[in-house]
Amino acid sequence: MLPTWRLRAEFARRLSGMYGNEVPAYTTLLEVSAQVNDEVIARTGDTGRLGGIARVTAERHGAIRVGTPREMRRAALIFAALGMEPVGFYDLREAAASAVPVVSTAFRPIDAEELERNPFRVFTSMLTTADRRFFDPDLEARLESFLGRRELFPSELLRLAERAERERGLGEENAERFLALAVAAFELSPEPVDRAWYAELERVSAVAADIGGVTSTHVNHLTPRVLDIDELYRRMGELGITMIDRIQGPPRWDGPDVLLRQTSFRALAEPRRFRESDGSVGEGSLRVRFGEVEARGIALTRAGRALYDELIGEPAERWPSRFPRTERELAVQERAYFRYEPATGRPRDGRTPPQDLAGLLDGGWLSAAPIVYEDFLPRSAAGIFQSNLTDEGTRDSSVAGAHYDQQWLSGVLERPVHDPFDLYAAQQDRSLQQARRALGLPKDTS
Ligand code: OOG
Ligand code: NI
């Protein structure tokens, strides 16, 4: 029997192997990331404060794009089989200046223990075909009909996924079959692309064409995690791989690493087959996939995030005077999430611990371990999407956009879409109450 987490780890490993065969620059990126990580560990020691090296080395996120609520629901079932649940709602239509007509969520494990075993996550976007700013009624109808005719996931895969979710794993033979089918579902298809249809959608948005212009889905990118993203950025440049002009997310500074920093490069054009209007099939190429790398830091509370959102438009020099400069300040000001533990073996000398968090931390009664940010950032995601488009596409801003939100997505998926802040807060809260109990303190009700 392969339990859920092993299915997830094995899926991530095989997907990475498959993608490495498809996109050679990804393999280079993995090599450079591993090198940088080894060097950081040799320099600083593996303190594991933001995840141990075993986790970080295996850690990836993927990005996929689907066309309809039905496809989204089926993707959710496959991820559920892997112990990955929908977390967060991202509306990239508003976050991007270019035409990016999608809304998204991230499928990922939500328990600390499961994250530690393998934190594989997939940023999953769905085309907003009902949004009149991008698609007129005629194009919407043709898109719906095209998407309605395709099956991204074979029924055998869906049946095995249902079983894996229900039984929290699969026997060896079924697991093998499930993994092979699941990886194949995200492979680039040799099926010819209808040139005129693809081009028509491309005029609206390259993202729309990538999703709705082909009969299958594919991994758009797979992203390794690196411990020093500035160093990685420099080295990729030395290898002649042109990165986008900046690292998205918080600036480099000497304070704590928070949230997520990401950067990307455009992958090479890939050979694809095209069907022309006269019915003939010939060779061509498309350049839609890219490489991305990320560094992860501490998860911020709503208050911390509000401050981050305020500062992100400002120059990095402003950070030190405005953003908490130490983990202690982040904790005491309730700007970031931590897992609290009672300090062990410390003689009390007859003293009673103070009530407040600052006192508990400063007096050495409690230790605080950062909770890693496991999610994405809409502005960075939009930046990543955008920097890899050569064309802005078209958007009719004179008409109203269609409304999609987290509740709507929960309905589509027939599963709750978790709020990331609630997940981090619950984890912190549990640890704090437990620690207070261990110290003989009353429950903190603040
Ligand atoms: C997803 C872009 C967002 C990230 O890391 O923020 C993303 C896509 O291109 O499909 O992957
Ligand atoms: Ni990504």
Side-chain angles (χ1 to χ4, degrees), residues 309-328:
D309 285 335
E310 210 178 294
L311 285 178
I312 192 62
E314 301 198 16
E317 303 83 74
R318 291 274 165 75
W319 274 63
S321 61
R322 303 279 313 278
F323 202 81
R325 301 177 67 147
T326 60
E327 287 187 10
R328 180 199 173 273

Side-chain angles (χ1 to χ4, degrees), residues 116-133:
E116 193 51 40
R117 283 170 159 164
N118 186 291
F120 188 53
R121 46 178 95 72
V122 178
F123 193 87
T124 305
S125 302
M126 193 203 83
L127 199 59
T128 54
T129 54
D131 195 318
R132 283 286 169 266
R133 292 173 299 178

Side-chain angles (χ1 to χ4, degrees), residues 61-65 92 102 104 123-125 207 210 220-221 223 260 262 288 290 292 294 296 376-378 380-382 384-385 388:
H61 85 246
I64 62 160
R65 304 160 172 185
L92 299 181
V102 299
S104 318
F123 193 87
T124 305
S125 302
V207 177
D210 183 44
N220 175 274
H221 60 266
T223 301
L260 176 64
Q262 302 177 304
V288 287
F290 50 85
E292 184 194 42
E294 67 189 13
R296 289 189 174 265
F376 294 84
L377 295 171
S380 304
I384 297 279
F385 258 110
N388 289 286

Side-chain angles (χ1 to χ4, degrees), residues 43-261:
R43 195 167 68 229
T44 61
D46 177 11
T47 60
R49 275 180 76 66
L50 291 166
I53 189 64
R55 169 187 153 156
V56 171
T57 306
E59 187 159 348
R60 306 274 186 280
H61 85 246
I64 62 160
R65 304 160 172 185
V66 299
T68 63
R70 178 172 175 269
E71 290 175 357
M72 194 74 171
R73 184 159 51 244
R74 293 183 162 193
L77 172 59
I78 292 165
F79 293 130
L82 302 168
M84 296 155 72
E85 301 182 28
V87 182
F89 178 82
Y90 302 84
D91 194 337
L92 299 181
R93 298 173 301 165
E94 309 306 332
S98 310
V100 179
V102 299
V103 291
S104 318
T105 188
F107 292 95
R108 67 166 177 88
I110 61 171
D111 290 343
E113 200 179 311
E114 287 293 312
L115 285 161
E116 193 51 40
R117 283 170 159 164
N118 186 291
F120 188 53
R121 46 178 95 72
V122 178
F123 193 87
T124 305
S125 302
M126 193 203 83
L127 199 59
T128 54
T129 54
D131 195 318
R132 283 286 169 266
R133 292 173 299 178
F134 306 102
F135 309 102
D136 64 30
D138 170 59
L139 185 55
E140 182 194 5
R142 285 183 295 128
L143 244 183
E144 291 293 343
S145 135
F146 181 91
L147 295 169
R149 282 196 305 274
R150 72 180 190 184
E151 287 293 350
L152 299 184
F153 308 111
S155 50
E156 186 187 357
L157 172 60
L158 298 171
R159 272 200 310 278
L160 286 167
E162 260 163 17
R163 177 156 179 188
E165 183 183 14
R166 199 174 52 238
E167 297 177 2
R168 297 177 193 202
L170 286 174
E172 213 157 305
E173 217 168 287
N174 280 330
E176 186 53 45
R177 185 74 188 140
F178 169 75
L179 289 166
L181 289 169
V183 171
F186 297 107
E187 235 164 23
L188 203 61
S189 158
E191 183 73 17
V193 179
D194 183 322
R195 169 104 56 195
W197 175 234
Y198 196 93
E200 182 180 1
L201 289 172
E202 218 174 9
R203 281 192 291 278
V204 173
S205 153
V207 177
D210 183 44
I211 300 172
V214 295
T215 52
S216 61
T217 187
H218 44 254
V219 175
N220 175 274
H221 60 266
L222 265 188
T223 301
R225 180 170 161 194
V226 72
L227 296 170
D228 184 346
I229 197 169
D230 301 278
E231 179 58 18
L232 180 118
Y233 186 94
R234 205 181 58 68
R235 275 198 215 175
M236 292 298 279
E238 275 174 11
L239 289 171
I241 296 180
T242 313
M243 309 296 283
I244 60 173
D245 58 8
R246 55 180 297 260
I247 294 171
Q248 312 270 341
R252 179 187 190 92
W253 76 317
D254 58 9
D257 291 331
V258 297
L259 297 174
L260 176 64
R261 301 179 70 212

